[in-house]
Amino acid sequence: MKQGDGIRALVINTGVANAGTGQDGLNHAFAVCSALANQLGVKPQHILPFSTGVIMEPLPVQRIVDGLPKALSARAENHWSLASQAIMTTDTLPKATSRQIQLEGRTVTITGMSKGAGMIRPNMATMLGFLATDAAIDSTLMHSLAHELAEASFNRITIDGDTSTNDSFVVIATGKAGNAMVTDWQNPAAAMLKQALIDVATWLAQAIVRDGEGATKFITVRVEGGRDSAECRQVAYAIAHSPLVKTAFFASDPNLGRILAAVGYAGIADLDQACIDLYLDDVHVATRGGRHPDYREEDGQRTMKQDEITVRVLLGRGQAHDQVWTCDLSHEYVTINADYRS
């Protein structure tokens, strides 16, 4: 594809993932892209398809094609919220946000939407994320920008430790704001733009966790004092993926040895448990690998009853830190997934 001859439209369907459908699935996706391309007067390769829903079910091509004219006629700059509703599956609420910043005298808009509530963990999962800005950004920066945004946001969330066949994160820059082209991220204006993009991506990612299937609590797991960020994430994921930890949070039961156990089995070489400290918000739960002498059960329970909780683990072996966002695991999660196709 020659320069300037890129993607012109996205076509998104929900309900059917079109995964595990073999060559027929590819043919069906191409048929949808071709139908939309014909209506837009572009080539099929100018259309990107996205599907989410039940795996191994055939894509209802004719139903999608029949709906394209109505979708095209409803196009409007302020219809992001409608699109975010249309792509929901087990989501209980749409996820869309928009904000503006001033960039060297120009108003730059950043708007995005996301979809997802279950089968979510790093490397995304059955989630979709779309982020667009009218800022002018050099095309050579876009691939690395998308990776950096994903790493700061969608690759820091987990709901159930499971992944699916379908996940996508798309970053679009139209250049219509008229700002000077961003060719690197070194100057203050460009750095401000990148931070604003990260902020919007993070909001969209956290909205998925807040709407996690059956979730009642939003939990930040922050690990500090690691030798590098990778081992901090490894410990954070071990905690955030633990069904025992997550069910304890649902019950507001300060069975906090489960957190220390997850730290221990995270697989960090030569981890010294005598250096570990654990906090729930400002409650100092454990020190030197054991119960803090001032810790009281009622303090732990009070904190665990909150809607938002921060688990903070200090490894005592370096200066690195990292964090992930997760939720609790409830009875409702089992109900939703047991009856998903009903």
Side-chain angles (χ1 to χ4, degrees):
M1 194 174 292
K2 62 184 179 182
Q3 186 173 356
D5 192 25
I7 301 302
R8 303 303 302 159
L10 315 178
V11 57
I12 310 164
N13 77 270
T14 185
V16 174
N18 195 29
T21 51
Q23 186 61 46
D24 285 346
L26 291 173
N27 295 340
H28 291 162
F30 187 76
V32 171
C33 291
S34 296
L36 180 55
N38 288 336
Q39 296 190 43
L40 293 176
V42 300
K43 298 175 182 178
Q45 58 264 38
H46 294 166
I47 312 297
L48 277 182
F50 303 87
S51 298
T52 181
V54 180
I55 299 166
M56 292 186 69
E57 292 293 327
L59 195 68
V61 175
Q62 196 57 51
R63 183 179 176 188
I64 296 172
V65 170
D66 290 345
L68 291 177
K70 184 177 180 180
L72 289 171
S73 66
R75 282 179 296 173
E77 292 181 356
N78 61 346
H79 280 185
W80 280 83
S81 61
L82 293 179
S84 68
Q85 293 175 44
I87 64 175
M88 293 166 57
T89 51
T90 58
D91 308 60
T92 65
L93 48 85
K95 304 165 181 67
T97 190
S98 186
R99 64 187 63 181
Q100 293 182 323
I101 62 170
Q102 293 299 309
L103 195 67
E104 298 178 329
R106 299 279 184 170
T107 299
V108 168
T109 303
I110 302 168
T111 301
M113 64 179 182
S114 61
K115 168 267 162 193
M119 296 184 82
I120 304 292
R121 68 164 290 173
N123 288 331
M124 299 185 286
T126 180
M127 60 136 282
L128 302 175
F130 304 94
L131 185 62
T133 179
D134 55 5
I137 304 174
D138 191 289
S139 60
T140 61
L141 300 180
M142 293 302 293
H143 179 76
S144 60
L145 174 63
H147 178 77
E148 188 170 347
L149 293 177
E151 281 298 299
S153 57
F154 295 108
N155 282 343
R156 291 294 182 275
I157 63 174
T158 177
I159 288 177
D160 46 21
D162 211 340
T163 57
S164 183
T165 53
N166 295 54
D167 60 73
S168 298
F169 175 51
V170 176
V171 183
I172 303 165
T174 67
K176 291 186 176 181
N179 61 289
M181 179 72 70
V182 175
T183 58
D184 62 61
W185 302 108
Q186 301 308 310
N187 70 73
M192 182 176 66
L193 172 61
K194 179 189 278 190
Q195 187 57 54
L197 289 164
I198 290 174
D199 291 344
V200 173
T202 300
W203 188 96
L204 294 171
Q206 291 186 355
I208 292 175
V209 174
R210 295 180 188 280
D211 191 34
E213 292 171 345
T216 68
K217 296 171 183 176
F218 179 86
I219 303 165
T220 299
V221 182
R222 180 175 176 84
V223 179
E224 306 172 13
R227 290 180 181 168
D228 54 44
S229 60
E231 73 172 23
C232 292
R233 288 195 303 275
Q234 190 170 335
V235 171
Y237 293 151
I239 296 168
H241 291 157
S242 168
L244 291 177
V245 170
K246 295 162 81 69
T247 50
F249 273 106
F250 171 67
S252 301
D253 176 18
N255 190 350
L256 302 175
R258 293 179 175 182
I259 298 177
L260 288 179
V263 175
Y265 65 60
I268 302 301
D270 66 5
L271 180 65
D272 186 352
Q273 65 177 13
C275 296
I276 297 173
D277 280 75
L278 171 64
Y279 290 80
L280 288 184
D281 284 353
D282 60 349
V283 177
H284 198 169
V285 175
T287 185
R288 298 184 178 181
R291 178 190 287 262
H292 191 282
D294 295 332
Y295 172 70
R296 298 294 179 266
E297 180 89 355
E298 56 268 26
D299 294 330
Q301 189 169 61
R302 168 180 51 80
T303 304
M304 292 187 77
K305 286 181 178 179
Q306 299 171 173
D307 294 336
E308 298 199 13
I309 305 164
T310 297
V311 175
R312 185 165 161 250
V313 178
L314 283 64
L315 299 179
R317 51 195 270 123
Q319 301 301 315
H321 59 83
D322 214 322
Q323 64 185 1
V324 302
W325 300 290
T326 191
C327 58
D328 56 342
L329 193 59
S330 69
H331 303 293
E332 184 65 17
Y333 175 86
V334 177
T335 299
I336 291 169
N337 284 281
D339 298 336
Y340 183 72
R341 300 203 312 159
S342 300

